[in-house]
Amino acid sequence: MNKLYKKVLFALLIAAAGATKAQIHEFAPIGAEWHYDYSEIMVQGFVKICAVKDTVIGDLHCTKLQKERHGYGYSSGPFHSIFGYEYVTQIGDSVMIYRNGNFHKLFDFSSSIGDTWAVVGEEDVCEESFGTVHVVGKGTETINGIDLRYILVVDDVHSYWGYGHTMYDSPPVSPNDTVKIIEHIGPIGSYLLPRQRCLLDNMEGGDLRCYSDDNLGYLNYNPERFCDYINEEYQAIEEMSLGNELQVFPNPCNNFLTVVLPKKDQYVVAIYDNFGKIVARRNIHENLIELGLTGFSPGFYYLTANNGFSNFSTIIIKK
């Protein structure tokens, strides 16, 4: 074996070792998105959390989560802002979050019924920045052909932070306050991050609407609202003012449909059936795409395209 071959082989081994160490964790792969309800006094909309970047904190490989708020204020109008970042990693069966200079446990899928752990909130919001959750159940369910573990948790009744809806120092926790946390996805019927339980109208985000990544695909946990829904007034305004800027042809169509948007941008394009169920969804970075409708039943469908600031929509007809 000559020296050049040895050097090349050694470089490949080093690169492979580095790639193995830096591979994406099971939780929050790059491109994963969560959509959550969001409402406060005179404001409605949604919170979107995106896994945007791999990074390293200390000696741990982490994922950077970007938190965005999209909404409509009845006095201020539409708004969109990035309001913060979080850093998460997975160590064994535990998902950890980096806050206050340390890593803290978010979820532990190896926990047993009766186990507890402390969850960390944000400083200077409540009297305490920690809370406690109790595991009251666990199991496995299959989602899009993948077996995923879940745990059922409730907040300690005297905790300032947790995942449920009951306020601090309320009556004993009821079954309605049990939160299901699914592997890879996080809490269902709650927010991804610990919620404060000391203030009535200061929630960062509400219940989960949608989750998507390249492995699990698209999951809708609130069929009554599509992922980017804000409110009826805002959607009506947007559709009236911008709907004519979305072009589709041919319409009616057979198996393929061309969609033309007003400018090149990052869009989420979705098609809904007559029952409001999403039957197709794509993330695009163009203003012209072709959609395949093979296998769709003949009838009327509702197509939307959202770029984070505007919502375009139209009705399409499948022959």
Side-chain angles (χ1 to χ4, degrees):
M1 183 180 296
N2 60 47
K3 292 183 178 180
L4 177 61
Y5 181 80
K6 288 181 179 179
K7 290 182 178 179
V8 171
L9 180 60
F10 180 76
L12 290 174
L13 289 173
I14 293 298
T20 301
K21 185 177 180 181
Q23 44 182 225
I24 296 172
H25 295 290
E26 294 178 347
F27 184 78
I30 298 303
E33 289 188 1
W34 297 258
H35 287 72
Y36 296 91
D37 290 336
Y38 168 67
S39 66
E40 292 189 81
I41 297 175
M42 300 296 290
V43 175
Q44 285 184 300
F46 64 92
V47 167
K48 180 169 74 170
I49 298 179
C50 313
V52 295
K53 182 182 178 181
D54 285 326
T55 187
V56 176
I57 298 177
D59 59 352
L60 290 177
H61 288 266
C62 306
T63 302
K64 181 179 182 179
L65 302 181
Q66 176 173 290
K67 302 188 292 186
E68 304 175 11
R69 187 169 284 132
H70 303 252
Y72 181 82
Y74 290 96
S75 59
S76 60
F79 61 87
H80 166 221
S81 64
I82 296 172
F83 66 93
Y85 298 92
E86 303 282 359
Y87 298 87
V88 296
T89 189
Q90 183 162 344
I91 302 175
D93 291 315
S94 295
V95 176
M96 314 290 287
I97 186 170
Y98 184 77
R99 281 185 173 177
N100 307 330
N102 290 294
F103 283 95
H104 305 268
K105 186 182 295 185
L106 274 180
F107 326 122
D108 184 357
F109 296 101
S110 64
S111 58
S112 301
I113 296 174
D115 287 352
T116 65
W117 69 81
V119 293
V120 64
E122 298 177 14
E123 295 181 330
D124 302 322
V125 175
C126 299
E127 185 176 333
E128 299 286 346
S129 61
F130 284 84
T132 304
V133 297
H134 303 258
V135 179
V136 296
K138 60 186 303 182
T140 304
E141 67 176 82
T142 302
I143 298 178
N144 288 349
I146 300 175
D147 292 333
L148 300 175
R149 295 173 294 176
Y150 68 82
I151 52 176
L152 303 175
V153 304
V154 294
D155 302 337
D156 186 276
V157 69
H158 296 301
S159 287
Y160 284 97
W161 295 86
Y163 296 103
H165 297 82
T166 302
M167 295 299 293
Y168 170 82
D169 209 17
S170 63
V173 177
S174 72
N176 292 333
D177 295 308
T178 301
V179 175
K180 187 177 190 179
I181 302 176
I182 302 180
E183 196 174 15
H184 302 298
I185 301 169
I188 308 301
S190 185
Y191 189 52
L192 177 66
L193 308 172
R195 306 202 293 192
Q196 57 82 15
R197 301 173 62 229
C198 58
L199 299 173
L200 183 60
D201 190 49
N202 189 32
M203 291 296 183
E204 183 172 294
D207 292 354
L208 177 66
R209 291 183 184 179
C210 310
Y211 173 78
S212 63
D213 68 30
D214 290 340
N215 295 319
L216 286 175
Y218 169 75
L219 305 170
N220 182 4
Y221 286 98
N222 189 345
E224 296 180 359
R225 294 181 178 176
F226 56 86
C227 300
D228 299 335
Y229 176 82
I230 291 177
N231 63 38
E232 291 182 4
E233 180 177 342
Y234 174 78
Q235 304 300 145
I237 292 172
E238 288 295 285
E239 289 166 18
M240 289 173 61
S241 62
L242 300 172
N244 58 359
E245 298 182 21
L246 171 66
Q247 301 177 49
V248 295
F249 57 87
N251 194 19
C253 61
N254 288 313
N255 293 324
F256 295 95
L257 178 75
T258 298
V259 180
V260 182
L261 289 151
K263 64 178 181 178
K264 186 176 180 179
D265 203 346
Q266 181 174 344
Y267 295 94
V268 178
V269 177
I271 299 177
Y272 299 79
D273 63 16
N274 279 331
F275 300 99
K277 179 181 178 182
I278 292 183
V279 293
R281 184 176 185 270
R282 281 180 59 183
N283 294 317
I284 66 167
H285 301 272
E286 304 291 338
N287 68 321
L288 187 150
I289 60 167
E290 185 177 73
L291 298 177
L293 303 182
T294 303
F296 283 40
S297 300
F300 292 86
Y301 293 86
Y302 185 65
L303 184 145
T304 67
N306 188 287
N307 65 355
F309 299 93
S310 302
N311 190 68
F312 306 87
S313 64
T314 190
I315 294 174
I316 59 176
I317 304 172
K318 171 70 162 60
K319 292 181 180 180

